[in-house]
Amino acid sequence: MPRHSRMPSNRRLRDARQQELPWYKRMPVWVFQIIAGALVIMLVLIAMGSYGWGNISRLHLPVSPWVSMLAVVLPVGNFVGISHALIATKGSTRALKSFRMNFYMTLLLILDTILATMAAAHLPSDMLNCHLRESWNKLYSNKDAKHIKIIQDALNCCGFKTTKDMSYPFPTGKQHPSCVKEFHRDDSRACFLPWRKHEQTSASLYLAVGLLLGLTKLLFMAYTNREGFGKEDTVNGESQSGRVEEIEDSDHDGVSRDRDIRTLGPIDESTRLLDHDHDVPNSSEPADYV
């Protein structure tokens, strides 16, 4: 029997052995490099978002809780989306893999844009001044001594625009207690400027989170396209089709020569013996000439 007639069974044997490997051993190295990088970015962005959220909660800043939630949750979604787009593609065609990746990235990019837009709305001074005044006026009208005192104590200040402007303690009847005298604070330190600075800091962190998430996705898509994402499964950058390459050379007469099988990875002893058996011609069979 000619040597090349035995090749299909040999290839199926190797292919079956490779399919028994755990999924992480069949993935290329660059996939794990991207996942590790996405994990580091996720932790950094979560820290930024958490710091901003802590500022907003502690100082009762007029920022929507949805913005804070997005700033903390989106980095996790970014990591999960990238990891899923890279790993959960077993048995998928190239078109399906590309569709999955584009779908996840587009959805997350929309959310990143929403976060960045909402955060940027808290940066302009004029609009921010109105929000802060409305928020402080609401606290003062509701006699919310708890939150006003927390703000004044945290920022070591008194009142809103001046130390006597809607400050705590509240006036009772004819008595007008002084925040400066009671808490021994600087008479020129009102809460408006430091309060506004903390809100702008939190909004800037949220804006940075949204922009960095968007940039991460663009870099991810560019890198995966360069590395050939969506092509057939690879192992350490090499072909995963049974980890075997068949090279078929043709001579100048157009007659096909025997196929040369090159093993791209380690195989067990039984497979090596099988290859050796193919290389030794059978004395009972006539030689195959071209």
Side-chain angles (χ1 to χ4, degrees):
M1 179 182 296
R3 178 186 170 189
H4 63 270
S5 64
R6 302 181 184 179
M7 292 305 100
S9 59
N10 190 21
R11 176 173 176 175
R12 285 195 297 269
L13 174 62
R14 291 184 180 133
D15 191 33
R17 292 183 185 281
Q18 292 304 319
Q19 292 301 322
E20 294 176 358
L21 292 174
W23 65 267
Y24 56 86
K25 289 186 177 181
R26 298 197 300 269
M27 300 298 292
V29 174
W30 62 267
V31 169
F32 295 101
Q33 291 173 342
I34 291 181
I35 293 176
L39 178 61
V40 173
I41 293 173
M42 178 193 73
L43 295 176
V44 171
L45 296 183
I46 286 178
M48 294 170 60
S50 299
Y51 179 81
W53 197 345
N55 256 355
I56 290 171
S57 300
R58 179 172 59 93
L59 298 175
H60 203 67
L61 292 167
V63 177
S64 171
W66 289 105
V67 182
S68 302
M69 188 179 300
L70 281 175
V72 175
V73 172
L74 278 182
V76 180
N78 184 70
F79 173 73
V80 173
I82 289 177
S83 302
H84 183 74
L86 290 172
I87 295 175
T89 53
K90 183 178 179 181
S92 302
T93 63
R94 180 175 182 179
L96 181 56
K97 291 179 182 180
S98 298
F99 172 77
R100 284 179 176 176
M101 184 184 73
N102 292 331
F103 175 77
Y104 291 136
M105 296 303 103
T106 302
L107 178 61
L108 290 173
L109 277 172
I110 293 174
L111 295 176
D112 296 342
T113 303
I114 293 174
L115 170 61
T117 303
M118 295 178 70
H122 291 272
L123 293 178
S125 297
D126 293 338
M127 185 180 300
L128 183 58
N129 294 349
C130 293
H131 289 164
L132 290 174
R133 173 165 285 281
E134 289 175 2
S135 181
W136 191 285
N137 188 58
K138 182 178 180 181
L139 294 175
Y140 191 81
S141 299
N142 294 334
K143 302 298 181 183
D144 193 344
K146 176 183 176 181
H147 287 108
I148 292 180
K149 187 177 186 302
I150 288 175
I151 296 171
Q152 291 184 160
D153 291 345
L155 302 178
N156 193 28
C157 60
C158 288
F160 183 63
K161 277 293 186 70
T162 67
T163 56
K164 296 180 181 180
D165 180 20
M166 297 184 288
S167 63
Y168 174 83
F170 304 132
T172 55
K174 295 182 179 181
Q175 296 181 355
H176 297 274
S178 172
C179 169
V180 174
K181 293 180 180 180
E182 184 164 341
F183 299 109
H184 308 288
R185 290 173 183 159
D186 188 354
D187 187 50
S188 62
R189 184 172 175 81
C191 296
F192 170 69
L193 291 179
W195 202 35
R196 184 181 66 177
K197 182 178 179 181
H198 278 277
E199 180 166 354
Q200 288 177 328
T201 299
S202 298
S204 298
L205 287 174
Y206 290 166
L207 178 61
V209 169
L211 295 178
L212 287 174
L213 285 174
L215 179 61
T216 299
K217 293 175 184 62
L218 294 177
L219 292 176
F220 165 73
M221 297 174 71
Y223 185 78
T224 49
N225 288 334
R226 188 190 70 177
E227 292 293 335
F229 178 80
K231 296 180 181 178
E232 61 180 354
D233 295 336
T234 56
V235 176
N236 295 332
E238 297 173 336
S239 177
Q240 173 59 20
S241 300
R243 291 170 62 88
V244 172
E245 288 182 356
E246 294 186 350
I247 301 177
E248 184 176 4
D249 295 324
S250 297
D251 58 12
H252 58 279
D253 293 327
V255 181
S256 178
R257 298 178 181 177
D258 289 345
R259 292 178 178 177
D260 180 24
I261 304 299
R262 297 188 304 172
T263 304
L264 299 181
I267 57 176
D268 58 17
E269 190 62 28
S270 61
T271 309
R272 293 183 182 278
L273 292 175
L274 181 59
D275 287 344
H276 178 70
D277 180 64
H278 289 164
D279 294 336
V280 178
N282 192 335
S283 58
S284 61
E285 297 175 355
D288 194 24
Y289 294 97
V290 178

